[in-house]
Amino acid sequence: MAKLTVDSLDSKGKKILVRVDFNVPLDGDRITDDTRIRAALPTIQHLMGQGARTILMSHLGRPKGEPNPKYSLAPVAARLSELLGKKVAFCPKVIGPQAQEAVAAMTAGDVLLLENVRFHAEEEKNDPTFSKELASLGDAFVSDAFGTVHRAHASTAGVAQYFKQAAAGFLIAKELQFLGMALDNPKSPYLAIVGGAKVGDKITVINSLLQRADTLLIGGGMAYTFLKVQGHTIGTSLLDAPNLGLAEELLATSKRLNKRILLPSDHVVAGAFSAEAPAEACGIDIPDGKMGLDIGPETSKRYQDEIAKAAMVVWNGPMGVFEFPAFKKGTFAVAEAVAACKGVTIVGGGDSVAAANQAGVSDRISHISTGGGASLEFLEGKKLPGIEALTNA
Ligand code: AMP
C-alpha cells in the first residue's frame, strides 16, 4: 500500500513532528559517525524550505526508560546545527510544559530537537497517554526512522493515530520504493544472496525470498548447516544444530518450487577463529579441526557469474568473517559483483552494509537499506507498525 510522503504533505507554515533516527555512536559527547544525521537532512531541509517548524525526536542507545546524560541527544543538536548551517534549538525534555514552550518559541523554518524519547519508559511500551502528549506538539507527523519502524513504540507508531496526516520522510519513501519492489514486484531473474552467522536468525527471510526469488545464493556461517544436511563434512565450522531440520526443509521447498539454492563448493578455512590464523584453501568437504571462515575462489566466481546475470539482487549478510582481513575476499568479491550488476541492487542488514562500505562500492548500489532488522522484517512480508501507522496515499 502506497503511503503519503513528505513532499505531498501540506507542511507550509505548520508544526511538523518528525521521528528521525539519530542513534549515532558516541565517544563521550563526541559523535564518531554522523551518517544517520546526514541521512535525515533531505527531509529536514525540505520542511525548512516549506517554512514549517520542524520538531525532531529520536532515541539514542538504551537508557532503559530513565534520564541518563550518557545518552543525551544534546551533542546531536550541535552537529545538526553545523550541517544545516542554522542553529538547532535543543529541548532537554521530551514532553510537558518545557517542550510546549520550546515549540511555542519557534518561528517559520526553525528546527528543534527534543531529548531522547527513551528517557521515558512509556516510549517502548507504546503508551497512549505519552503518544498523545508527543502528538500535541505538532500539526502533522513525519516518520523518517526506518531502523525503528518494526518496533511499535510511542514515537514510531503510537503517535501517528493522533494526526490527520502521517507521512513518510524521504528516507522511508526510498525504502518503501525499493524493498516494496523486491517484495511485490520483483524484476526477473531475481537473485537473493543470504549470508551471516546463523540459519535460525534468517529462516523466515530465506523462506520468503525463496517464494519470490529465482535463485538463492547462500554463504557465511549459515552455509555449513546446509552443507551438513547434504552430507558434507564441515570440520569445526559454525553449525546451527537445532535448525538442521529447517535447513533440510528449505532445500526440499526449493526443489518443490523449482528454485535454485546455491551453496559454496570451496572454502577458505583456518585452524581457529582468529584474525591471525593462517588462511588455507579447501574443497567442498572440510577436514576435522578446520573451520570455514570464507567462501573459496571457485564459489566467488560462481556467485559473481550469477550476480552478473540478475535483473534484481537483494543481498543480506556477509559471505565470511570479513572483519578478519584474511577472510574478507569472498564478501568483497560479492560486493564488487553486486555493484557491477546492471539490474536493481539492494543491500540490507548492518553487516552487509558495513561490508559494502568497506569494499568501497556503496555508491554503485541502487539502494542501501538503513534498517537491519526492519529491512529483514519487511522482506519477510511482515507488517511493520511504523509503516502501517502512516496515512495511505
Ligand atoms: P549476521 O548478523 O547474521 O548477518 O552475521 C554477521 C556475522 O556473521 C559477521 O560478524 C560475520 O563475521 C559472521 N560470519 C560470517 N561468516 C562466518 C563464518 N564462516 N563463521 C563464523 N562467523 C561468520
Side-chain angles (χ1 to χ4, degrees):
M1 177 69 78
K3 295 292 179 182
L4 177 70
T5 52
V6 65
D7 47 343
S8 308
L9 175 74
D10 175 18
S11 57
K12 269 204 180 69
K14 300 264 170 66
K15 290 179 288 179
I16 310 292
L17 183 65
V18 187
R19 176 54 155 102
V20 284
D21 181 0
F22 284 166
N23 185 24
V24 291
L26 286 174
D27 179 9
D29 61 2
R30 195 175 64 85
I31 296 164
T32 55
D33 181 351
D34 66 1
T35 309
R36 287 186 167 151
I37 307 176
R38 288 176 185 275
L41 295 178
T43 294
I44 299 170
Q45 282 164 332
H46 169 79
L47 291 170
M48 287 167 71
Q50 296 290 307
R53 281 165 282 172
T54 306
I55 304 143
L56 303 170
M57 56 178 175
S58 176
H59 76 286
L60 188 137
R62 295 177 187 274
K64 304 211 172 87
E66 52 190 55
N68 180 341
K70 205 174 128 196
Y71 299 110
S72 173
L73 280 164
V76 175
R79 181 73 190 116
L80 182 60
S81 302
E82 287 167 13
L83 291 170
L84 289 174
K86 174 186 170 73
K87 171 101 184 118
V88 172
F90 177 70
C91 177
K93 294 278 184 250
V94 185
I95 52 167
Q98 209 174 331
Q100 299 285 353
E101 280 159 29
V103 171
M106 295 173 84
T107 57
D110 277 357
V111 181
L112 169 75
L113 176 62
L114 304 172
E115 186 52 287
N116 191 340
V117 284
R118 288 196 189 162
F119 282 3
H120 293 259
E122 295 88 343
E123 160 66 4
E124 294 189 59
K125 292 185 186 138
N126 198 8
D127 178 81
T129 312
F130 181 65
S131 297
K132 204 170 174 182
E133 283 251 21
L134 280 175
S136 71
L137 298 173
D139 302 316
F141 176 61
V142 170
S143 173
D144 217 13
F146 187 69
T148 55
V149 290
H150 57 316
R151 314 238 180 258
H153 292 170
S155 69
T156 60
V159 71
Q161 66 190 294
Y162 299 101
F163 292 103
K164 254 219 290 294
Q165 290 198 304
F170 292 119
L171 268 181
I172 289 198
K174 187 166 179 251
E175 296 279 1
L176 294 179
Q177 180 196 340
F178 280 93
L179 296 177
M181 191 198 305
L183 194 69
D184 301 325
N185 193 18
K187 296 183 184 307
S188 190
Y190 173 13
L191 177 80
I193 312 165
V194 185
K198 287 173 102 187
V199 182
D201 294 347
K202 298 206 177 154
I203 205 88
T204 329
V205 80
I206 295 177
N207 239 326
S208 163
L209 289 169
L210 205 52
Q211 308 295 323
R212 296 171 170 87
D214 301 296
T215 305
L216 195 63
L217 306 185
I218 293 189
M222 70 167 61
Y224 306 104
T225 305
F226 287 93
L227 288 170
K228 175 98 179 159
V229 168
Q230 292 191 332
H232 293 289
T233 57
I234 62 164
T236 51
S237 307
L238 264 190
L239 173 66
D240 190 356
N243 286 311
L244 271 167
L246 281 175
E248 194 168 1
E249 266 173 45
L250 284 173
L251 291 172
T253 306
S254 75
K255 281 217 179 77
R256 193 163 39 78
L257 297 175
N258 215 5
K259 305 284 175 86
R260 291 189 306 150
I261 293 189
L262 303 191
L263 293 167
S265 48
D266 65 339
H267 318 277
V268 181
V269 300
F273 187 85
S274 155
E276 277 73 46
E280 298 168 43
C282 178
I284 192 160
D285 287 297
I286 300 176
D288 284 352
K290 300 286 180 191
M291 63 175 69
L293 294 178
D294 194 7
I295 54 173
E298 176 188 286
T299 310
S300 286
K301 173 79 177 60
R302 284 170 51 226
Y303 285 12
Q304 286 184 311
D305 290 348
E306 291 292 334
I307 294 165
K309 288 187 285 192
M312 176 158 209
V313 177
V314 168
W315 175 28
N316 183 297
M319 297 291 101
V321 186
F322 74 102
E323 297 93 336
F324 298 164
F327 306 100
K328 68 179 189 191
K329 276 203 194 107
T331 301
F332 278 36
V334 161
E336 195 48 63
V338 173
C341 173
K342 302 246 179 334
V344 177
T345 52
I346 301 172
V347 178
D351 279 310
S352 16
V353 173
N357 284 334
Q358 279 182 32
V361 303
S362 306
D363 56 343
R364 290 188 283 140
I365 308 282
S366 316
H367 179 62
I368 301 234
S369 180
T370 50
S375 64
L376 266 184
E377 290 195 20
F378 193 104
L379 291 170
E380 285 167 12
K382 283 194 187 144
K383 301 240 175 283
L384 309 183
I387 300 292
E388 292 299 299
L390 303 178
T391 309
N392 291 330

